[in-house]
């Protein structure tokens, strides 16, 4: 699953330190939620995310994945809030008992723009960063190796989950299990296959814990990295600047309100 | 086995992190509930979204950071399987657009076997990895997994999983709490539009004159208790099907006699590995 999203085009965006990209993502999230007008998100998407995606040569992937995630949400948001927003007064368009209100549409625009920025920024991080690199970089910055083990291990596990499911299915078919065409009855046939799948996965990890302990996994000593993730003073500075910008986005409006 | 890491120098710091995280989550929820009725009329430009995201996420991260060191390696090895179970089941169910989520079976299972600390890490990382692989939408809801893990762990300690009929009831109670906790995220981050049918129900409640937060809370109260009842029941079935040797490997399950009165559980000091 993860490798399908990540394609290494070797672009400057791919070569950035993963932590820099993560700090950028978090700063963007703070900024679009701290300055909640729709144009903040619009500026972020147009001025940062789209150019970054083009530089990374992953603009099409970003549009495809982002669109697939966002389309249903934005559609529901506009319909639901457009027609039923509690503060809606100004009726723009009426159809029977349903009335589309300007306030509802404004709400949908402001909220929707934030969701678009949130989803596109996260997807851009995912399509330009190998999860393994992200984990190594975060461990170098002091993340507990337990977290990186769990995350990296899960990413490898999900495909093997599928392989095992296929194996169980084939074994059952060899014993004469017929898989019906209709999706509902197919679900009913599949349900008994879940048991061996899940139980097999859990009993498989029994020995793994002992093996990890024997190799010093539980040790809390800070170790050096086998593969150092490239970093630069410029990126270090950029990370602090982005964090400061995000903090300013929170603090400045508060101060303005108080004065 | 009750106190295997008493010499751990980080113990106090870990406790403080967990307590700070819990207070932050509770404070975020109370603030959002108390301050919102006045702010809600604004056209989505209030800072409630930021407070919901930041308060819940930072709280969840603090609790995870405080929990991870307490988890023995044998449990760490199991957590990826539980996370994969969460994500695979949750993704399949979400594409079928049913009125349940079923994205916390692994969280509840780990919580029941290995205690709430391990469950919390399973839950949070499930939503993080979901965000890293398929869609970032579950990411803001990570705090809900924390609540599920803690409540499932408490239920297991209380002996709920010794009986056949109690897990669904514990699930319903958990569902009420998660509905409350998740409502501000659904309202202020997603504007009520978290999924097809859920969005329609939020719209229906708003059309009846409810505020956005009330509508998402009511929608949660319709969905979550059923979802968690099914989740807890599935976990009960899974536990019944797992070999006793596997279940007895976990100090938490032995100490609190999670699975009742078998000969191994009655003497928690017996090494069953």
């Amino acid at each position: 699953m993860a490798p399908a999203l990540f394609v290494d085009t070797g672009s400057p965006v791919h070569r950035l330190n993963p932590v820099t990209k993560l700090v950028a993502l978090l700063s963007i999230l703070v900024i679009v939620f701290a300055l909640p007008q729709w144009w903040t998100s619009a500026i972020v998407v147009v001025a940062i995310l789209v150019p970054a995606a083009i530089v990374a040569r992953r603009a099409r992937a970003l549009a495809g994945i982002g669109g697939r995630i966002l389309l249903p949400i934005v559609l529901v948001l506009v319909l639901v809030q457009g027609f039923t927003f509690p503060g809606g007064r100004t009726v723009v368009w009426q159809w029977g008992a349903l009335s589309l209100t300007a306030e509802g549409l404004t709400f949908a625009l402001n909220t929707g723009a934030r969701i678009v920025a949130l989803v596109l920024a996260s997807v851009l991080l995912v399509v330009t960063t190998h999860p393994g690199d992200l984990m190594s970089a975060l461990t170098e910055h002091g993340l507990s190796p337990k977290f990186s083990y769990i995350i990296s291990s899960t990413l490898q596990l999900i495909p093997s989950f599928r392989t095992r499911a296929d194996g169980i299915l084939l074994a059952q078919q060899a014993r004469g299990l017929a898989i019906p065409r209709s999706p509902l009855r197919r679900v009913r046939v599949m349900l008994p296959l879940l048991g061996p799948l899940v139980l097999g996965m859990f009993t498989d990890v029994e020995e793994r814990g002992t093996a990890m302990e024997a190799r010093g996994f539980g040790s809390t000593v800070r170790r050096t990295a086998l593969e150092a993730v490239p970093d630069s003073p410029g990126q270090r500075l950029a990370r602090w600047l982005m964090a400061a910008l995000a903090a300013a986005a929170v603090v400045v409006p508060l101060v303005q309100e108080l004065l | 086995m009750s106190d295997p890491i008493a010499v751990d120098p980080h113990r106090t710091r870990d406790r403080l992190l967990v307590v700070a995280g819990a207070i932050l989550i509770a404070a975020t929820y109370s603030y959002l509930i108390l301050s919102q009725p006045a702010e809600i009329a604004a056209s989505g430009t209030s800072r409630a979204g930021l407070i919901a995201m930041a308060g819940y996420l930072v709280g969840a991260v603090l609790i995870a950071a405080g929990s991870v060191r307490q988890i023995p390696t044998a449990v760490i090895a199991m957590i990826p399987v539980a996370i994969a179970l969460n994500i695979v089941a949750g993704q399949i169910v979400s594409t079928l657009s049913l009125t349940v989520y079923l994205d916390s079976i692994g969280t509840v299972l780990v919580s029941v076997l290995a205690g709430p600390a391990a469950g919390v890490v399973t839950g949070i990382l499930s939503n993080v990895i979901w965000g890293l692989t398929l869609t970032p939408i579950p990411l803001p809801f990570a705090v809900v997994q924390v609540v599920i893990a803690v409540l499932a762990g408490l239920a297991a300690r209380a002996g709920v999983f010794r009986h056949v009929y109690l897990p669904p009831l514990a699930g319903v109670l958990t569902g009420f709490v998660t509905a409350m906790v998740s409502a501000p995220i659904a309202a202020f981050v997603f504007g009520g539009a978290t999924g097809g049918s859920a969005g329609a129900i939020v719209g229906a409640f708003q059309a009846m004159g409810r505020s956005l937060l009330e509508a998402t809370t009511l929608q949660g109260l319709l969905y979550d208790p059923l979802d968690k009842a099914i989740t807890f029941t599935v976990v009960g079935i899974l536990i019944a099907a797992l070999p006793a040797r596997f279940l007895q490997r976990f100090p938490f399950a032995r100490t609190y006699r999670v699975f009742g009165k078998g000969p191994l559980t009655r003497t928690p000091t017996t090494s069953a590995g």
Side-chain angles (χ1 to χ4, degrees):
Chain A
M1 276 183 189
L5 293 186
F6 171 75
V7 175
D8 193 359
T9 60
S11 75
V13 180
H14 285 71
R15 285 199 306 271
L16 282 176
N17 187 301
V19 179
T20 310
K21 286 184 266 188
L22 188 64
V23 172
L25 166 66
L26 293 176
S27 309
I28 285 174
L29 291 191
V30 170
I31 289 169
V32 298
F33 277 94
L35 308 169
Q37 285 76 20
W38 64 269
W39 42 262
T40 319
S41 307
I43 291 171
V44 165
V45 170
V46 172
I48 302 173
L49 297 177
V50 170
I54 291 170
V55 171
R57 290 191 294 261
R58 296 289 279 147
R60 190 176 299 181
L62 181 71
I65 300 166
R68 206 180 57 221
I69 296 169
L70 284 168
L71 204 64
I73 293 180
V74 171
L75 200 67
V76 169
L77 184 68
V78 170
L79 286 178
V80 166
Q81 296 303 343
F83 283 108
T84 70
F85 185 64
R89 306 271 175 276
T90 329
V91 175
V92 183
W93 182 69
Q94 189 119 21
W95 186 66
L98 293 169
S99 45
L100 198 65
T101 63
E103 288 82 359
L105 288 178
T106 319
F107 179 89
L109 177 66
N110 283 321
T111 311
R114 284 203 301 266
I115 301 176
V116 169
L118 181 155
V119 168
L120 290 185
S122 320
V123 171
L124 185 62
L125 172 78
V126 170
V127 297
T128 61
T129 313
H130 193 281
D133 291 344
L134 180 61
M135 285 305 120
S136 323
L138 284 175
T139 312
E140 274 179 41
H141 280 80
L143 182 81
S144 165
K146 286 182 174 174
F147 281 124
S148 15
Y149 169 77
I150 295 173
I151 294 177
S152 311
S153 172
T154 309
L155 293 176
Q156 292 169 11
L157 205 68
I158 294 176
S160 90
F161 221 84
R162 188 170 292 168
T163 319
R164 187 186 270 265
D166 289 342
I168 294 172
L169 197 61
L170 286 173
Q172 297 288 357
Q173 278 176 304
R175 292 176 54 203
L177 173 84
I179 298 176
R181 280 265 167 75
S182 98
L184 237 163
R185 287 178 51 202
R186 184 176 289 195
V187 168
R188 198 183 302 165
V189 173
M190 301 291 214
L191 275 179
L193 306 182
L194 275 177
L197 174 66
V198 173
L199 300 178
M201 296 297 281
F202 273 106
T203 41
D204 259 13
V205 297
E206 274 205 74
E207 293 82 23
R208 201 175 296 167
T210 328
M212 284 160 64
E213 198 60 79
R215 283 155 186 79
F217 179 79
S219 144
T220 47
V221 182
R222 186 107 183 240
R223 275 154 284 194
T224 50
L226 178 62
E227 281 176 52
V229 182
D231 201 1
S232 63
Q235 288 193 50
R236 229 163 285 154
L237 181 68
R239 289 200 287 266
W240 284 109
L241 284 179
M242 287 187 292
L245 199 62
V250 177
V251 174
V252 170
L254 274 181
V255 172
Q256 279 178 343
E257 250 168 58
L258 291 176
L259 291 181
Chain B
M1 282 316 280
S2 61
D3 215 358
I5 31 181
V7 285
D8 186 354
H10 300 294
R11 195 98 207 240
T12 328
R13 201 186 73 183
D14 285 348
R15 286 251 168 89
L16 282 177
L17 282 173
V18 171
V19 169
I23 292 174
L24 187 57
I25 290 172
T28 306
Y29 182 74
S30 332
Y31 173 79
L32 289 172
I33 294 298
L34 294 176
S35 75
Q36 269 322 294
E39 250 184 292
I40 191 70
S43 47
T45 53
S46 78
R47 264 187 300 277
L50 177 71
I51 291 159
M53 281 273 272
Y56 276 169
L57 274 185
V58 173
V61 166
L62 288 178
I63 292 182
S67 304
V68 74
R69 218 174 284 113
Q70 311 292 327
I71 306 172
T73 310
V75 177
I76 294 278
M78 186 182 83
I79 288 178
V81 181
I83 296 177
L85 183 60
N86 274 349
I87 297 178
V88 170
Q91 189 67 30
I92 290 174
V93 169
S94 82
T95 50
L96 296 175
S97 68
L98 305 171
T99 60
V100 288
Y101 315 110
L102 296 190
D103 56 355
S104 53
I105 299 175
T107 311
V108 175
L109 184 64
V110 169
S111 248
V112 169
L113 289 175
V120 162
V121 171
T122 308
I124 293 176
L125 290 186
S126 292
N127 287 23
V128 168
I129 294 171
W130 209 331
L132 280 177
T133 50
L134 295 163
T135 157
I137 301 302
L139 204 49
F141 289 99
V143 69
V144 179
Q145 297 266 18
V146 174
V147 175
I148 297 171
V150 170
L151 292 179
L154 290 178
R157 270 175 81 154
V160 164
F161 287 88
R162 281 175 217 158
H163 307 274
V164 188
Y165 54 91
L166 283 180
L169 291 177
V172 168
L173 289 179
T174 307
F176 279 117
V177 181
T178 56
M180 302 291 207
V181 174
S182 61
I185 313 168
F188 305 131
V189 177
F190 293 106
T194 44
S197 62
I201 289 179
V202 169
F205 279 122
Q206 286 195 135
M208 289 178 215
R210 301 285 178 172
S211 76
L212 175 58
L213 185 60
E214 284 169 352
T216 54
T217 309
L218 289 168
Q219 177 267 322
L221 289 174
L222 278 182
Y223 278 37
D224 280 35
L226 175 68
D227 173 53
K228 270 44 177 192
I230 297 176
T231 302
F232 276 57
T233 312
V234 169
V235 169
I237 295 169
L238 279 177
I239 283 168
L242 279 164
R245 185 173 54 91
F246 181 76
L247 299 178
Q248 296 301 335
R249 293 175 68 239
F250 300 100
F252 176 82
R254 286 204 302 272
T255 311
Y256 297 104
R257 303 203 301 122
V258 168
F259 308 113
K261 309 163 193 86
L264 275 173
T265 40
R266 194 168 284 173
T267 50
T269 45
T270 311
S271 137

